[in-house]
Amino acid sequence: MPQTLLQKVWNHHAVRRLPNGQTQLFVGLHLIHEVTSPQAFDMLHARGWRVRYPERTVATVDHIVPTRDQRRPFLDVMAEDMLSALERNAHAAGIELLDLTSGAQGIVHVIGPELGLTQPGMTIACGDSHTSTHGAFGAIAFGIGTSQVRDVLASQCLAMDPLKVRRLEVHGRLAPGVYAKDVILEIIRRLGVNGGVGYAYEYAGDVVERMSMDERMTICNMSIEGGARVGYVNPDDTTFDYLRGRRRAPQGDAFDRAVEWWRSMGSDADAVYDDRVTVDAGSIRPTVTWGINPGQSVYVDERLPKPADVAPGERAALDEALGFMGWTAGAPIKGTRIDVAFLGSCTNGRLSDLREAARVVRGRHVAAHVRALVVPGSQGVRLAAEREGLDRVFSEAGFEWRGAGCSMCLAMNQDRLEGREVCASSSNRNFKGRQGSPSGRTLLMSPAMVAAAAVAGEVIDVREFSDGR
Ligand code: SF4
């Protein structure tokens, strides 16, 4: 029987079918961090249980770490407590901790791939919604809640509902100034933030096949924002080339053997899908969210929707979003004044993202009224960027160059919006209060668009701005 990658990976990891119809799945790699793990460890200890497979568990610190001054103890007592708890728990259980002194610390979804921990055909779980990122490698990667983190620590297994598979084929050519971020925002806009509920998204088509691993990670990262439980790309030579030589990937002959197996895990050519959607890449333009979920977006040269533009059932959501953001229906998004520019996150905090943003700001300066920061996704990204001189490009342009972490993606540290500030952000969520201020406003866009907005002081079309650079 021809199978999709999801079915193959699922069947390889199925321990048993549970009476309620769920599958008990073995988890190949469990990634943990300082925010969702302390409570899970407490629950584990309360029952007298131990970590079942510490060697399949890797910890890092990302969500609460300060990005300006990372000296210990942190000034933020709660952050210091959380990090100390992770250190104690990891040490006691014999779990590898990639902390601030390791040289390998960073956002959990950046370091997994970077170190070669993330590999095709795996099941991966992590207590963060954007674990779907790892699907870029042909892994099936689940974001899980705190009680599931406990379950995986205790048993290395998860009870999962079956999933349907939707194949999303992106064909054609992306125009200059249009990036992977625009592709996934387009998909979410078209199918809706709940369009993927009950599905795994399989991204394919010649555009995805030509994408780098960084670009594939951006797309898979936001699968969850479209409602999908997981997102993945079938592994290919781009995947294997990325993994070759990475610290934690198989080495030598073992790597060649692994490639053979990884290749066999891809969806069969005649696999049957529950749904298929085709996207014309050539029609996508630089995209900006205007509302309070990632599906509320327009092309930068479009206007905000008016009540007449949306279905009757969507008018209340439109009113709520326009009311919260303080925008007028039908107004252009271009020219919207911004206060903050944030470059970073597990969606767009990788080296290629910083390169693209640096290309836009080189020789220019951030607008006088804009606070701009660059937060590399990992210590590895930061170091590689510094080797290329990108830190100087950003600093000379007026950006703050920070240490690695989640930072303003969810503002659990000091990096936050104040009051009604508007932020041009390369992150993944524009929910109310997401960036630290209950009334703060987030506009999601590609890193190049964030860079252009930082310089212009307002939302601007990077295609006009970068004068062909
Ligand atoms: S960058 Fe944002 S989405 Fe990604 S792991 Fe951190 S908090 Fe979660």
Side-chain angles (χ1 to χ4, degrees):
M1 275 277 286
Q3 290 182 313
T4 62
L5 178 141
L6 178 90
Q7 291 161 336
K8 293 182 187 182
V9 176
W10 190 278
N11 293 339
H12 267 86
H13 293 84
V15 177
R16 65 187 170 126
R17 182 92 182 263
L18 300 170
N20 65 359
Q22 291 187 303
T23 303
Q24 184 184 6
L25 276 185
F26 187 78
V27 174
L29 173 67
H30 188 198
L31 298 167
I32 61 173
H33 58 83
E34 76 282 22
V35 170
T36 50
S37 70
Q39 217 188 330
F41 275 107
D42 286 348
M43 292 190 275
L44 197 74
H45 298 150
R47 288 167 172 78
W49 295 343
R50 313 180 116 213
V51 178
R52 183 70 183 81
Y53 283 100
E55 68 276 23
R56 289 187 175 274
T57 313
V58 177
T60 191
V61 292
D62 51 7
H63 284 62
I64 52 92
V65 291
T67 60
R68 184 181 273 134
D69 180 356
Q70 299 187 320
R71 282 172 301 181
R72 303 284 301 278
F74 299 145
L75 293 174
D76 179 344
V77 176
M78 196 175 80
E80 180 61 31
D81 283 351
M82 280 182 167
L83 208 143
S84 302
L86 180 61
E87 286 170 336
R88 276 195 308 277
N89 288 324
H91 182 71
I95 292 169
E96 181 180 17
L97 171 60
L98 301 170
D99 64 8
L100 290 165
T101 63
S102 67
Q105 170 266 345
I107 305 175
V108 65
H109 312 312
V110 176
I111 65 160
E114 191 174 81
L115 297 173
L117 286 163
T118 302
Q119 295 167 21
M122 272 187 155
T123 46
I124 299 176
C126 174
D128 181 274
S129 310
H130 297 85
T131 307
S132 54
T133 311
H134 304 263
F137 291 77
I140 297 302
F142 301 101
I144 56 176
T146 302
S147 56
Q148 289 173 304
V149 173
R150 173 205 59 196
D151 295 347
V152 180
L153 287 172
S155 67
Q156 204 63 28
C157 289
L158 273 176
M160 300 302 298
D161 289 320
L163 290 171
K164 296 182 282 186
V165 184
R166 172 177 289 144
R167 184 169 161 97
L168 288 136
E169 293 190 9
V170 189
H171 291 293
R173 291 234 161 239
L174 293 175
V178 179
Y179 297 89
K181 182 66 157 286
D182 302 299
V183 173
I184 189 61
L185 286 174
E186 170 84 8
I187 288 170
I188 299 170
R189 180 188 184 185
R190 276 179 54 178
L191 301 180
V193 290
N194 294 317
V197 172
Y199 280 97
Y201 277 179
E202 176 177 305
Y203 301 101
D206 55 295
V207 172
V208 176
E209 283 164 16
R210 285 195 300 272
M211 280 182 175
S212 68
M213 291 312 296
D214 284 8
E215 293 172 301
R216 294 177 186 183
M217 282 189 258
T218 296
I219 290 190
C220 289
N221 173 277
M222 289 191 72
S223 304
I224 192 80
E225 303 306 334
R229 191 69 184 84
V230 301
Y232 66 86
V233 177
N234 285 307
D236 60 8
D237 288 343
T238 303
T239 321
F240 311 142
D241 290 345
Y242 178 99
L243 286 170
R244 196 184 311 277
R246 303 250 163 201
R247 255 165 68 182
R248 304 297 285 273
Q251 308 290 324
D253 291 349
F255 185 84
D256 297 332
R257 285 195 301 278
V259 166
E260 204 176 314
W261 187 74
W262 292 341
R263 213 184 280 282
S264 75
M265 295 305 287
S267 294
D268 295 321
D270 47 357
V272 177
Y273 295 88
D274 300 285
D275 192 30
R276 284 177 178 267
V277 172
T278 304
V279 178
D280 170 20
S283 67
I284 303 174
R285 311 206 287 277
T287 301
V288 182
T289 64
W290 57 267
I292 51 175
N293 72 53
Q296 292 175 320
S297 66
V298 287
Y299 297 140
V300 65
D301 50 5
E302 284 185 312
R303 290 172 174 271
L304 307 190
K306 292 189 271 209
D309 301 334
V310 303
E314 291 170 18
R315 287 196 189 138
L318 175 69
D319 285 348
E320 185 194 356
L322 288 174
F324 178 82
M325 298 298 280
W327 313 142
T328 306
I333 190 78
K334 198 165 137 184
T336 302
R337 183 183 159 100
I338 67 153
D339 306 294
V340 178
F342 170 60
L343 281 168
S345 85
C346 59
T347 313
N348 281 127
R350 297 183 177 79
L351 184 61
S352 58
D353 300 314
L354 303 192
R355 279 183 185 146
E356 206 56 25
R359 206 171 61 84
V360 175
V361 303
R362 192 183 298 273
R364 296 184 164 114
H365 205 278
V366 169
H369 67 275
V370 172
R371 181 160 59 100
L373 58 162
V374 185
V375 183
S378 69
Q379 291 180 335
V381 170
R382 182 179 149 108
L383 190 64
E386 288 175 354
R387 282 204 190 104
E388 294 183 14
L390 301 186
D391 57 324
R392 283 198 307 282
V393 173
F394 285 115
S395 298
E396 283 165 16
F399 280 82
E400 294 177 48
W401 179 251
R402 297 290 190 85
C406 296
S407 178
M408 210 180 265
C409 173
L410 88 169
M412 284 190 84
N413 63 3
Q414 299 310 307
D415 307 339
R416 35 203 319 128
L417 298 185
E418 303 290 338
R420 290 285 281 157
E421 280 183 333
V422 175
C423 180
S425 180
S426 68
S427 55
N428 46 52
R429 281 193 169 159
N430 53 346
F431 301 163
K432 291 177 186 173
R434 172 72 176 182
Q435 293 192 291
S437 163
S439 55
R441 293 168 288 175
T442 303
L443 308 179
L444 302 175
M445 56 190 84
S446 70
M449 285 282 285
V450 172
V455 172
E458 60 185 35
V459 174
I460 189 167
D461 188 337
V462 71
R463 296 172 300 179
E464 299 163 16
F465 184 82
S466 58
D467 27 281
R469 282 205 235 165

